Amino acid sequence: MLCDIAFMGGGVRGIAFAGAVKGLEDADYKPRRVAGTSAGAIAAALVAVGFSGEEMRKELSELDYRKFKTKDHLSLPISELINLRRDYGIYSADNFEAWLEKLLKRKGKTTFGDLERGAEGWKLQLTASDMHNKRLLVLPQDLKLFGLNPKTFSIAKAVRMSMSIPFFYEACKLKDSLGNEHLIVDGGLFCNYPIWLLDDGCGPTEVPVFGMRFAECESEKRKERKLFRLTDYIKLVIGAVLDADGHGYARVTTGDTERNIDISVCVDGKTIGAVDFGLDKKTAAALFGNGYKASTDFLKGWDFEKWLKLRTGE
Protein backbone atom coordinates (compact mmCIF):
# COMPACT_ATOMS: atom_id res chain seq x y z
CA MET A 1 0.00 0.00 0.00
CA LEU A 2 1.20 3.52 -0.74
CA CYS A 3 1.80 5.98 2.09
CA ASP A 4 3.18 9.46 2.69
CA ILE A 5 5.74 10.06 5.44
CA ALA A 6 6.77 13.18 7.37
CA PHE A 7 10.05 13.07 9.29
CA MET A 8 10.67 15.26 12.33
CA GLY A 9 13.98 17.06 12.84
CA GLY A 10 16.35 15.69 15.43
CA GLY A 11 20.07 16.07 14.70
CA VAL A 12 22.25 12.97 14.63
CA ARG A 13 19.49 10.51 15.55
CA GLY A 14 18.24 10.01 11.99
CA ILE A 15 19.26 6.35 11.87
CA ALA A 16 16.17 5.66 13.99
CA PHE A 17 14.13 6.73 10.96
CA ALA A 18 15.81 4.00 8.92
CA GLY A 19 14.46 1.42 11.36
CA ALA A 20 10.97 2.90 11.19
CA VAL A 21 11.06 2.91 7.38
CA LYS A 22 12.11 -0.73 7.36
CA GLY A 23 9.17 -1.54 9.63
CA LEU A 24 6.80 0.05 7.13
CA GLU A 25 8.45 -1.79 4.24
CA ASP A 26 8.14 -5.13 6.02
CA ALA A 27 4.41 -4.45 6.25
CA ASP A 28 4.35 -3.78 2.47
CA TYR A 29 3.99 -0.01 2.68
CA LYS A 30 5.67 1.95 -0.13
CA PRO A 31 6.49 5.67 0.27
CA ARG A 32 4.77 7.93 -2.27
CA ARG A 33 5.62 11.42 -0.98
CA VAL A 34 7.95 12.44 1.85
CA ALA A 35 8.67 15.60 3.81
CA GLY A 36 11.29 16.35 6.39
CA THR A 37 13.17 18.86 8.47
CA SER A 38 16.84 18.78 9.54
CA ALA A 39 17.72 15.13 10.25
CA GLY A 40 14.30 14.31 8.86
CA ALA A 41 15.32 16.05 5.64
CA ILE A 42 18.20 13.60 5.27
CA ALA A 43 15.90 10.62 5.78
CA ALA A 44 13.27 12.08 3.45
CA ALA A 45 15.81 12.69 0.69
CA LEU A 46 17.18 9.14 0.91
CA VAL A 47 13.68 7.64 0.83
CA ALA A 48 12.65 9.90 -2.06
CA VAL A 49 15.51 8.75 -4.31
CA GLY A 50 14.90 5.08 -3.57
CA PHE A 51 16.97 4.00 -0.56
CA SER A 52 15.39 1.21 1.44
CA GLY A 53 15.36 1.17 5.22
CA GLU A 54 18.13 -1.43 5.21
CA GLU A 55 20.25 0.61 2.80
CA MET A 56 19.75 3.66 5.00
CA ARG A 57 20.82 1.65 8.05
CA LYS A 58 24.03 0.56 6.35
CA GLU A 59 25.01 4.06 5.29
CA LEU A 60 24.04 5.82 8.52
CA SER A 61 25.52 3.18 10.85
CA GLU A 62 28.90 3.51 9.15
CA LEU A 63 28.79 7.28 9.27
CA ASP A 64 31.19 9.10 11.58
CA TYR A 65 29.26 12.25 12.47
CA ARG A 66 32.43 13.82 13.84
CA LYS A 67 33.60 14.24 10.24
CA PHE A 68 30.87 16.83 9.90
CA LYS A 69 32.59 19.01 12.51
CA THR A 70 36.21 19.71 13.26
CA LYS A 71 36.34 18.59 16.89
CA ASP A 72 34.83 15.89 19.09
CA HIS A 73 33.17 18.48 21.31
CA LEU A 74 31.89 22.00 21.02
CA SER A 75 34.44 24.57 22.08
CA LEU A 76 35.06 28.16 21.11
CA PRO A 77 38.74 28.96 20.57
CA ILE A 78 39.63 32.14 18.69
CA SER A 79 39.57 30.45 15.25
CA GLU A 80 36.02 29.15 15.77
CA LEU A 81 34.84 32.51 17.07
CA ILE A 82 36.12 34.01 13.83
CA ASN A 83 34.14 31.42 11.83
CA LEU A 84 31.04 32.19 13.88
CA ARG A 85 31.41 35.92 13.25
CA ARG A 86 32.16 35.57 9.52
CA ASP A 87 29.88 32.69 8.44
CA TYR A 88 27.37 32.62 11.34
CA GLY A 89 28.42 29.09 12.20
CA ILE A 90 31.44 27.28 13.62
CA TYR A 91 31.63 24.37 11.21
CA SER A 92 31.35 24.03 7.46
CA ALA A 93 28.78 21.55 6.11
CA ASP A 94 30.79 20.95 2.93
CA ASN A 95 31.69 17.41 4.00
CA PHE A 96 28.07 16.60 4.70
CA GLU A 97 26.86 17.93 1.36
CA ALA A 98 29.55 15.97 -0.52
CA TRP A 99 28.64 12.78 1.37
CA LEU A 100 24.94 13.11 0.58
CA GLU A 101 25.56 14.05 -3.05
CA LYS A 102 27.59 10.86 -3.46
CA LEU A 103 24.70 8.76 -2.12
CA LEU A 104 22.16 10.47 -4.35
CA LYS A 105 24.32 9.91 -7.43
CA ARG A 106 24.27 6.22 -6.66
CA LYS A 107 20.54 6.28 -7.35
CA GLY A 108 20.93 8.62 -10.32
CA LYS A 109 18.75 11.33 -8.73
CA THR A 110 20.50 14.48 -7.57
CA THR A 111 18.01 17.28 -8.38
CA PHE A 112 14.35 17.76 -7.57
CA GLY A 113 13.59 17.46 -11.26
CA ASP A 114 15.00 13.92 -11.22
CA LEU A 115 12.14 12.84 -8.97
CA GLU A 116 8.79 11.83 -10.38
CA ARG A 117 6.11 14.43 -9.72
CA GLY A 118 2.54 13.24 -9.58
CA ALA A 119 -0.74 15.13 -9.53
CA GLU A 120 -0.44 15.44 -5.75
CA GLY A 121 2.71 17.58 -6.05
CA TRP A 122 6.41 17.33 -5.29
CA LYS A 123 7.62 13.92 -4.15
CA LEU A 124 10.12 15.49 -1.76
CA GLN A 125 9.54 18.61 0.34
CA LEU A 126 11.90 20.06 2.94
CA THR A 127 11.72 23.00 5.31
CA ALA A 128 14.34 25.64 6.00
CA SER A 129 14.34 28.95 7.88
CA ASP A 130 14.95 32.31 6.21
CA MET A 131 16.38 34.50 8.96
CA HIS A 132 16.25 37.66 6.81
CA ASN A 133 12.46 37.52 6.45
CA LYS A 134 11.85 35.48 9.61
CA ARG A 135 9.82 32.97 7.63
CA LEU A 136 9.61 29.31 6.88
CA LEU A 137 10.77 28.15 3.45
CA VAL A 138 9.34 25.06 1.79
CA LEU A 139 11.79 23.57 -0.68
CA PRO A 140 11.86 23.22 -3.59
CA GLN A 141 8.91 25.49 -4.44
CA ASP A 142 10.10 28.54 -2.48
CA LEU A 143 13.40 28.58 -4.38
CA LYS A 144 11.53 30.66 -6.96
CA LEU A 145 11.68 33.53 -4.46
CA PHE A 146 15.41 33.69 -5.16
CA GLY A 147 15.17 33.33 -8.93
CA LEU A 148 16.20 29.67 -8.78
CA ASN A 149 14.71 26.83 -10.82
CA PRO A 150 13.32 24.22 -8.39
CA LYS A 151 13.69 21.42 -10.94
CA THR A 152 17.43 21.91 -11.42
CA PHE A 153 18.27 22.64 -7.79
CA SER A 154 20.50 20.19 -5.91
CA ILE A 155 18.70 17.98 -3.38
CA ALA A 156 21.89 17.73 -1.31
CA LYS A 157 22.17 21.51 -1.08
CA ALA A 158 18.51 21.82 -0.07
CA VAL A 159 19.04 19.22 2.66
CA ARG A 160 22.13 21.13 3.76
CA MET A 161 19.96 24.22 4.19
CA SER A 162 17.39 22.27 6.19
CA MET A 163 19.98 20.80 8.59
CA SER A 164 22.26 23.84 9.07
CA ILE A 165 21.93 23.90 12.86
CA PRO A 166 22.40 27.50 14.07
CA PHE A 167 25.79 28.20 15.68
CA PHE A 168 27.07 24.76 14.66
CA TYR A 169 26.97 25.02 10.86
CA GLU A 170 27.58 27.93 8.55
CA ALA A 171 24.36 29.51 7.36
CA CYS A 172 23.60 29.07 3.65
CA LYS A 173 23.38 32.33 1.73
CA LEU A 174 20.93 33.16 -1.07
CA LYS A 175 20.25 36.46 -2.81
CA ASP A 176 16.82 37.67 -3.85
CA SER A 177 15.95 39.67 -6.98
CA LEU A 178 16.84 42.93 -5.21
CA GLY A 179 20.30 41.68 -4.31
CA ASN A 180 19.48 41.25 -0.62
CA GLU A 181 21.35 38.40 1.05
CA HIS A 182 19.31 35.90 3.02
CA LEU A 183 20.73 33.56 5.66
CA ILE A 184 19.12 30.12 5.44
CA VAL A 185 19.38 27.77 8.43
CA ASP A 186 17.77 24.71 10.01
CA GLY A 187 14.08 24.32 9.23
CA GLY A 188 13.46 23.22 12.80
CA LEU A 189 13.53 26.83 13.97
CA PHE A 190 10.08 27.47 12.49
CA CYS A 191 8.73 23.99 11.81
CA ASN A 192 10.30 20.82 13.12
CA TYR A 193 7.46 18.49 12.18
CA PRO A 194 6.17 19.23 8.65
CA ILE A 195 3.35 16.71 8.40
CA TRP A 196 1.05 19.50 7.18
CA LEU A 197 3.01 19.61 3.91
CA LEU A 198 1.55 16.22 3.07
CA ASP A 199 -1.87 16.63 4.65
CA ASP A 200 -3.35 19.82 6.11
CA GLY A 201 -6.14 17.94 7.80
CA CYS A 202 -8.83 19.59 5.70
CA GLY A 203 -9.14 17.80 2.40
CA PRO A 204 -9.48 14.10 1.63
CA THR A 205 -6.48 11.79 1.60
CA GLU A 206 -6.16 8.70 -0.54
CA VAL A 207 -3.30 7.13 1.38
CA PRO A 208 -2.15 7.06 5.00
CA VAL A 209 0.09 9.94 6.03
CA PHE A 210 2.43 8.83 8.81
CA GLY A 211 4.41 11.20 10.99
CA MET A 212 7.66 10.04 12.56
CA ARG A 213 8.70 11.82 15.75
CA PHE A 214 11.26 11.37 18.53
CA ALA A 215 10.46 10.80 22.20
CA GLU A 216 13.06 11.16 24.95
CA CYS A 217 13.32 9.13 28.16
CA GLU A 218 10.70 9.96 30.77
CA SER A 219 13.44 10.00 33.44
CA GLU A 220 15.38 12.59 31.41
CA LYS A 221 12.37 14.92 31.28
CA ARG A 222 12.39 15.13 35.08
CA LYS A 223 16.17 15.35 35.43
CA GLU A 224 17.65 18.51 36.86
CA ARG A 225 20.06 20.13 34.39
CA LYS A 226 22.77 22.58 35.39
CA LEU A 227 24.62 25.02 33.17
CA PHE A 228 28.35 25.39 33.59
CA ARG A 229 29.48 27.36 30.54
CA LEU A 230 28.25 29.15 27.45
CA THR A 231 28.60 26.05 25.29
CA ASP A 232 26.18 24.17 27.56
CA TYR A 233 23.63 26.93 27.02
CA ILE A 234 24.11 26.87 23.24
CA LYS A 235 23.61 23.09 23.14
CA LEU A 236 20.47 23.35 25.28
CA VAL A 237 19.02 26.05 23.01
CA ILE A 238 19.72 24.00 19.90
CA GLY A 239 18.44 20.81 21.51
CA ALA A 240 15.23 22.55 22.58
CA VAL A 241 14.60 23.72 19.02
CA LEU A 242 15.37 20.37 17.40
CA ASP A 243 13.30 18.45 19.93
CA ALA A 244 10.20 20.58 19.37
CA ASP A 245 7.72 18.28 17.68
CA GLY A 246 4.82 20.45 16.62
CA HIS A 247 2.36 19.29 19.27
CA GLY A 248 0.47 22.55 18.85
CA TYR A 249 -0.47 21.56 15.32
CA ALA A 250 -1.37 18.03 16.36
CA ARG A 251 -3.81 19.31 18.98
CA VAL A 252 -5.91 21.24 16.49
CA THR A 253 -5.97 18.72 13.66
CA THR A 254 -8.28 15.76 14.17
CA GLY A 255 -6.55 12.43 13.82
CA ASP A 256 -2.94 13.62 13.90
CA THR A 257 -1.99 12.00 17.18
CA GLU A 258 -3.41 8.68 16.00
CA ARG A 259 -1.05 8.51 13.01
CA ASN A 260 2.18 9.54 14.73
CA ILE A 261 4.93 6.96 15.06
CA ASP A 262 6.78 7.99 18.23
CA ILE A 263 10.34 6.67 18.25
CA SER A 264 12.20 6.45 21.54
CA VAL A 265 15.67 7.98 21.52
CA CYS A 266 16.30 6.45 24.93
CA VAL A 267 19.29 4.07 24.96
CA ASP A 268 20.40 2.42 28.20
CA GLY A 269 18.29 4.86 30.19
CA LYS A 270 19.81 7.95 28.56
CA THR A 271 18.28 10.26 25.99
CA ILE A 272 20.46 10.57 22.89
CA GLY A 273 20.61 14.28 22.12
CA ALA A 274 20.23 15.99 18.77
CA VAL A 275 23.85 17.18 18.84
CA ASP A 276 25.55 14.10 20.31
CA PHE A 277 28.04 13.91 17.45
CA GLY A 278 30.05 11.13 19.09
CA LEU A 279 27.37 8.55 18.25
CA ASP A 280 28.97 5.08 18.30
CA LYS A 281 27.89 2.02 16.31
CA LYS A 282 26.30 0.34 19.33
CA THR A 283 24.12 3.35 20.03
CA ALA A 284 23.28 3.72 16.33
CA ALA A 285 22.17 0.07 16.22
CA ALA A 286 19.99 0.63 19.30
CA LEU A 287 18.35 3.67 17.70
CA PHE A 288 17.67 1.69 14.53
CA GLY A 289 16.05 -1.02 16.66
CA ASN A 290 13.96 1.59 18.47
CA GLY A 291 12.71 2.89 15.14
CA TYR A 292 11.85 -0.55 13.84
CA LYS A 293 10.00 -1.47 17.04
CA ALA A 294 8.07 1.81 17.08
CA SER A 295 6.95 1.30 13.49
CA THR A 296 5.95 -2.35 13.81
CA ASP A 297 4.19 -1.80 17.14
CA PHE A 298 2.28 1.13 15.67
CA LEU A 299 1.10 -0.84 12.65
CA LYS A 300 -0.34 -3.60 14.85
CA GLY A 301 -3.07 -1.19 15.91
CA TRP A 302 -3.35 0.87 12.73
CA ASP A 303 -6.60 0.82 10.76
CA PHE A 304 -6.70 3.27 7.86
CA GLU A 305 -10.46 3.08 7.35
CA LYS A 306 -11.10 3.59 11.05
CA TRP A 307 -8.76 6.57 11.03
CA LEU A 308 -10.56 8.12 8.04
CA LYS A 309 -13.84 7.95 9.93
CA LEU A 310 -12.26 9.57 12.97
CA ARG A 311 -10.81 12.31 10.79
CA THR A 312 -14.14 13.07 9.08
CA GLY A 313 -16.16 12.71 12.26
CA GLU A 314 -18.30 9.90 10.91
Side-chain angles (χ1 to χ4, degrees):
M1 183 177 186
L2 293 175
C3 69
D4 294 341
I5 309 173
F7 297 93
M8 175 185 173
V12 301
R13 304 170 295 192
I15 191 170
F17 289 142
V21 169
K22 188 177 188 308
L24 291 177
E25 291 170 345
D26 286 352
D28 293 326
Y29 280 95
K30 300 183 186 301
R32 182 186 64 165
R33 293 186 302 155
V34 287
T37 298
S38 196
I42 302 173
L46 293 177
V47 170
V49 301
F51 276 84
S52 68
E54 181 58 31
E55 287 175 317
M56 291 169 64
R57 181 202 65 77
K58 183 177 183 299
E59 297 299 334
L60 295 175
S61 65
E62 294 177 356
L63 185 61
D64 184 353
Y65 291 92
R66 290 171 296 187
K67 291 182 179 179
F68 298 155
K69 57 193 291 287
T70 58
K71 297 181 181 297
D72 292 342
H73 60 281
L74 179 64
S75 58
L76 294 173
I78 296 299
S79 62
E80 295 185 356
L81 280 172
I82 292 174
N83 287 344
L84 185 59
R85 179 182 177 87
R86 180 189 62 203
D87 298 313
Y88 309 101
I90 298 170
Y91 307 115
S92 168
D94 289 348
N95 287 342
F96 165 80
E97 186 176 343
W99 166 80
L100 182 57
E101 181 74 11
K102 183 178 179 180
L103 292 186
L104 300 180
K105 283 183 177 178
R106 192 182 303 172
K107 297 294 185 179
K109 300 175 182 178
T110 59
T111 68
F112 285 94
D114 291 330
L115 302 174
E116 296 178 8
R117 186 180 179 188
E120 64 279 354
W122 294 98
K123 182 173 183 178
L124 171 64
Q125 296 184 83
L126 311 174
T127 65
S129 300
D130 179 352
M131 304 310 294
H132 180 86
N133 284 341
K134 300 181 181 66
R135 60 164 288 178
L136 178 73
L137 296 178
V138 179
L139 309 177
Q141 47 265 57
D142 283 346
L143 291 167
K144 292 180 179 179
L145 299 173
F146 306 96
L148 298 169
N149 185 343
K151 290 183 178 180
T152 60
F153 198 81
S154 164
I155 294 173
K157 186 168 292 294
V159 173
R160 176 179 180 167
M161 293 178 183
S162 184
M163 54 73 64
S164 289
I165 302 172
F167 305 127
F168 269 79
Y169 290 119
E170 298 172 357
C172 295
K173 300 175 183 179
L174 294 178
K175 286 188 177 181
D176 62 25
S177 59
L178 298 177
N180 297 316
E181 189 172 70
H182 295 244
L183 299 178
I184 313 301
V185 298
D186 197 298
L189 286 180
F190 295 145
C191 176
N192 205 34
Y193 184 50
I195 194 168
W196 54 273
L197 288 175
L198 304 174
D199 177 23
D200 62 7
C202 299
T205 178
E206 298 176 353
V207 303
V209 183
F210 298 127
M212 295 190 178
R213 308 185 305 180
F214 291 129
E216 64 180 36
C217 307
E218 286 298 322
S219 58
E220 291 283 315
K221 294 179 181 178
R222 298 187 296 269
K223 184 178 179 181
E224 180 181 359
R225 297 171 180 173
K226 297 180 180 180
L227 297 177
F228 299 99
R229 54 188 187 276
L230 175 62
T231 53
D232 291 329
Y233 173 70
I234 292 174
K235 292 177 77 172
L236 278 179
V237 170
I238 295 169
V241 170
L242 298 183
D243 285 334
D245 60 4
H247 275 162
Y249 174 78
R251 282 194 294 268
V252 299
T253 305
T254 302
D256 262 10
T257 56
E258 288 76 13
R259 62 178 174 186
N260 292 330
I261 300 175
D262 291 321
I263 305 169
S264 171
V265 289
C266 187
V267 176
D268 295 330
K270 178 183 177 182
T271 293
I272 306 303
V275 291
D276 288 344
F277 285 92
L279 200 67
D280 57 38
K281 289 187 176 181
K282 180 181 177 182
T283 303
L287 288 173
F288 178 87
N290 287 358
Y292 186 81
K293 183 178 186 303
S295 184
T296 53
D297 286 352
F298 169 84
L299 290 175
K300 290 176 183 177
W302 172 254
D303 186 322
F304 183 44
E305 297 301 325
K306 182 178 179 180
W307 178 81
L308 282 177
K309 291 181 179 180
L310 171 67
R311 171 192 171 98
T312 58
E314 295 181 3

